[in-house]
């Protein structure tokens, strides 16, 4: 039986090879997974032209996935360096990579990335449009913008961020409700400016059906972008953000009617006490489509440490039902991240994702923690290193300060609670001041 997209196959009762791969990774019955894909509660981004892909699922009942952003810009246009970052991200088991390239040899970089990546690849075509055509923003036509989307689809991109929810109506609500940070989404700000300069509706909203034609043809998952996401905690959960979310919910149903898979993008900067409510809003207004968030970043005061502010919010969001976390690095708000920044961002986001999986009760998530606890109880240092999310850093810290008693560490030495409890429970003597018997 023929099918056009993963969702089309799922609705027809067909189990695709991508579904089999995801079900195996998630330890889930493949028939259950198929039902979730058919309902739009799980997406499997898998462009027909991405031949190297090792499929992943994002959504209800699955492990929280993470995304790594990279790409070339006018100030940093080293294709080889960005490909090196991509290889490192894949080595560190990031499930997705977003190419945010906006200048220079974007097509060369994108095709190389898709060709070598086993991870899901995403893009934001709006970023690429100005450089692709060498035209100023105002001079880009609707046909130009749609053509860039199709080019990315042809090149094998698995999901695309398309800011279809910032309509002229949304823009008016934004104007009437003053924000401290205005619009901070790069794609959202470009589209807002395009609409203002040309006195036209957002082409990604007005011609949404044409975008669906492209997505259906190549099986591209739509990541409906949050142009009005808050850029500081004072702007969160405001009328523009909620209005856009309502529109994205309507567009989700239109996409599903065409068997196009959908994720919804979300905030952004947000205080801790608003995160759970925002997850509930997205799941309700967007019909339980998978939710993809940046952070949320829970305080605005920590440039250089935003991988931490983001991981705090990400853990809470994942625990509340978010399905996909976009990493944030220590360089956020400051510069393009380097390899070390990227590693820090990946580790912090993976910690947040796993913490969320524990809270959600994802099948098998607790096993990793239990194995680590067993290794600690046995004072099995090599076992602990092998289980560590960053074994290199754990080994480095241990090697920098070795204790007199090799079974302990230099924090407690022979007063180590684990050591002493093991001994006393085995009926042995405890020597703290002297050598063991």
């Amino acid at each position: 039986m023929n099918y056009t997209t993963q969702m089309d196959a799922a609705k027809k009762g067909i189990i695709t090879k991508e579904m089999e791969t995801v079900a195996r990774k998630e330890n889930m019955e493949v028939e259950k997974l198929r039902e979730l894909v058919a309902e739009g509660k799980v997406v499997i981004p898998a462009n027909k032209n991405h031949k190297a892909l090792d499929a992943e699922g994002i959504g209800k009942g699955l492990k929280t996935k993470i995304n790594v952003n990279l790409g070339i810009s006018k100030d940093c246009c080293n294709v080889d360096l960005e490909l090196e970052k991509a290889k490192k991200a894949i080595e560190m088991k990031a499930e997705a990579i977003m190419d945010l390239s906006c200048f220079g040899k974007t097509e060369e970089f994108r095709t190389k990335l898709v060709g070598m990546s086993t991870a899901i690849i995403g893009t934001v075509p709006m970023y690429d449009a100005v450089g692709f055509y060498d035209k100023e923003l105002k001079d880009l036509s609707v046909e130009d913008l749609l053509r860039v989307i199709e080019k990315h689809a042809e090149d094998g991109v698995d999901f695309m961020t398309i800011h279809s929810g910032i309509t002229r109506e949304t823009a008016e609500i934004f104007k009437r409700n003053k924000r401290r940070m205005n619009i901070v989404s790069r794609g959202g700000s470009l589209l807002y400016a395009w609409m203002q300069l040309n006195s036209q509706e957002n082409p990604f909203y007005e011609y949404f059906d044409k975008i669906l034609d492209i997505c259906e043809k190549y099986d591209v998952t739509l990541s409906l972008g949050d142009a009005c996401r808050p850029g500081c905690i004072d702007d969160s959960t405001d009328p523009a953000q909620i209005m856009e979310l309502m529109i994205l919910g309507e567009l989700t149903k239109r996409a599903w009617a065409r068997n196009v898979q959908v994720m919804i993008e979300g905030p952004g900067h947000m205080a801790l006490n608003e995160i759970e409510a925002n997850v509930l809003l997205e799941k309700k207004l967007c019909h339980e489509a998978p939710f993809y968030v940046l952070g949320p970043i829970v305080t605005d005061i920590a440039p250089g440490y935003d991988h931490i502010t983001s991981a705090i919010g990400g853990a809470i969001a994942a625990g509340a039902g978010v399905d996909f976390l976009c990493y944030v690095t220590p360089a956020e708000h400051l510069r393009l991240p380097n390899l070390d920044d990227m590693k820090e961002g990946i580790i912090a986001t993976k910690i947040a994702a796993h913490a969320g999986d524990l809270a959600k009760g994802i099948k098998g998530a607790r096993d990793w923690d239990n194995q680590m606890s067993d290794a600690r109880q046995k004072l099995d240092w090599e076992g602990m290193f092998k289980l560590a999310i960053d074994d290199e850093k754990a080994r480095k810290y241990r090697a920098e300060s070795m204790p007199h008693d090799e079974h302990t560490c230099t924090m407690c030495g022979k007063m180590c609670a684990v050591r002493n409890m093991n001994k006393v429970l085995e009926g042995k003597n405890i020597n703290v001041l002297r050598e063991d018997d």
Side-chain angles (χ1 to χ4, degrees):
M1 188 182 295
N2 293 327
Y3 61 89
T4 55
T5 67
Q6 294 291 321
M7 176 175 261
D8 183 40
K11 288 179 180 178
K12 290 175 176 174
I14 301 170
I15 303 294
T16 66
K17 69 179 188 299
E18 290 82 9
M19 291 179 202
E20 291 175 343
T21 297
V22 172
R24 184 175 65 253
K25 289 181 178 181
E26 300 287 344
N27 195 21
M28 176 182 278
E29 291 292 331
V30 71
E31 179 59 25
K32 174 62 176 175
L33 177 67
R34 182 199 64 75
E35 291 175 1
L36 290 168
V37 174
E39 294 169 350
K41 295 175 183 176
V42 165
V43 298
I44 302 177
N47 188 309
K48 296 170 184 177
N49 290 341
H50 188 179
K51 306 303 182 184
L53 178 68
D54 185 8
E56 296 283 355
I58 301 166
K60 186 174 183 178
L62 309 186
K63 294 188 286 288
T64 307
K65 306 306 188 298
I66 76 161
N67 172 70
V68 169
N69 290 337
L70 43 78
I72 54 175
S73 67
K74 188 170 185 178
D75 292 308
C76 300
C77 54
N78 188 327
V79 169
D80 291 338
L81 176 59
E82 294 308 298
L83 285 172
E84 185 181 352
K85 288 183 189 176
K87 289 173 185 174
K88 187 65 177 177
I90 293 166
E91 179 188 317
M92 294 181 71
K93 296 182 168 53
E95 291 87 5
I97 296 171
M98 283 200 82
D99 171 17
L100 305 186
S101 296
C102 58
F103 181 82
K105 299 178 180 179
T106 57
E107 183 177 359
E108 175 190 336
F109 176 68
R110 183 170 59 252
T111 53
K112 285 183 177 180
L113 179 61
V114 171
M116 56 80 71
S117 179
T118 54
I120 301 164
I121 299 298
T123 60
V124 188
M126 190 66 200
Y127 293 1
D128 192 25
V130 174
F132 186 81
Y133 291 106
D134 192 24
K135 289 183 180 180
E136 287 299 334
L137 182 64
K138 182 180 184 298
D139 299 325
L140 290 170
S141 68
V142 172
E143 291 72 22
D144 289 338
L145 295 173
L146 293 174
R147 176 58 190 144
V148 172
I149 293 173
E150 182 145 25
K151 185 70 180 73
H152 284 218
E154 289 171 355
D155 290 343
V157 168
D158 302 299
F159 72 97
M160 294 185 207
T161 294
I162 305 292
H163 298 90
S164 298
I166 182 166
T167 63
R168 297 187 78 174
E169 183 181 6
T170 312
E172 288 304 312
I173 289 173
F174 159 72
K175 287 184 209 175
R176 293 198 302 268
N177 295 271
K178 179 65 178 172
R179 281 181 159 192
R180 191 174 293 273
M181 281 289 294
N182 296 316
I183 292 174
V184 300
S185 160
R186 192 190 331 177
S189 66
L190 291 171
L191 277 166
Y192 180 88
W194 188 93
M195 287 190 289
Q196 297 299 307
L197 292 168
N198 291 287
S199 299
Q200 291 187 46
E201 180 58 275
N202 178 356
F204 295 161
Y205 177 78
E206 186 172 2
Y207 298 95
F208 191 66
D209 285 333
K210 291 185 181 294
I211 295 172
L212 295 179
D213 290 340
I214 297 167
C215 292
E216 184 181 24
K217 180 179 178 181
Y218 296 93
D219 197 1
V220 173
T221 298
L222 271 179
S223 187
L224 292 176
D226 52 339
C228 295
R229 74 170 183 263
C232 64
I233 61 170
D234 203 42
D235 290 342
S236 62
T237 325
D238 75 340
Q241 180 195 330
I242 302 305
M243 178 65 187
E244 182 179 34
L245 190 62
M246 292 169 64
I247 293 170
L248 297 186
E250 294 174 355
L251 295 176
T252 296
K253 283 192 169 181
R254 286 174 58 184
W256 285 349
R258 295 284 303 277
N259 296 317
V260 172
Q261 300 182 97
V262 174
M263 296 184 288
I264 306 296
E265 294 188 10
H269 294 238
M270 182 168 289
L272 287 172
N273 60 308
E274 293 185 39
I275 294 173
E276 188 172 355
N278 270 261
V279 178
L280 178 63
L281 274 173
E282 184 277 339
K283 292 292 183 178
K284 185 72 174 176
L285 294 175
C286 297
H287 324 294
E288 295 191 72
F291 198 15
Y292 172 31
V293 300
L294 178 75
I297 292 172
V298 296
T299 178
D300 300 325
I301 63 165
Y305 297 90
D306 276 324
H307 59 312
I308 296 173
T309 63
S310 172
I312 293 167
I316 293 169
V322 159
D323 309 287
F324 194 21
L325 299 178
C326 186
Y327 92 150
V328 172
T329 76
E332 185 78 8
H333 303 109
L334 301 171
R335 61 163 167 78
L336 192 76
N338 61 28
L339 264 172
D340 289 338
D341 300 325
M342 189 189 75
K343 181 178 177 180
E344 290 292 312
I346 289 173
I347 295 295
T349 310
K350 285 174 74 74
I351 292 169
H354 181 67
D357 289 347
L358 292 173
K360 284 187 286 196
I362 295 297
K363 187 176 181 180
R366 192 177 287 258
D367 294 349
W368 187 4
D369 296 75
N370 289 343
Q371 291 165 17
M372 177 63 84
S373 298
D374 290 344
R376 283 177 172 157
Q377 188 273 324
K378 297 171 186 174
L379 293 171
D380 175 6
W381 292 97
E382 186 59 31
M384 288 183 242
F385 296 146
K386 288 179 179 178
L387 288 163
I389 199 166
D390 183 359
D391 68 312
E392 182 181 333
K393 189 168 190 177
R395 290 177 188 277
K396 175 176 176 288
Y397 275 37
R398 172 78 173 165
E400 285 177 348
S401 183
M402 290 297 293
H404 176 70
D405 183 333
E406 65 178 355
H407 299 295
T408 66
C409 78
T410 53
M411 172 67 77
C412 300
K414 292 177 74 173
M415 289 188 182
C416 171
V418 177
R419 169 191 181 271
N420 292 337
M421 285 302 299
N422 287 347
K423 280 181 170 290
V424 76
L425 289 173
E426 291 168 6
K428 296 178 180 178
N429 186 31
I430 299 172
N431 292 334
V432 175
L433 300 178
R434 296 171 297 281
E435 295 297 321
D436 290 339
D437 298 332

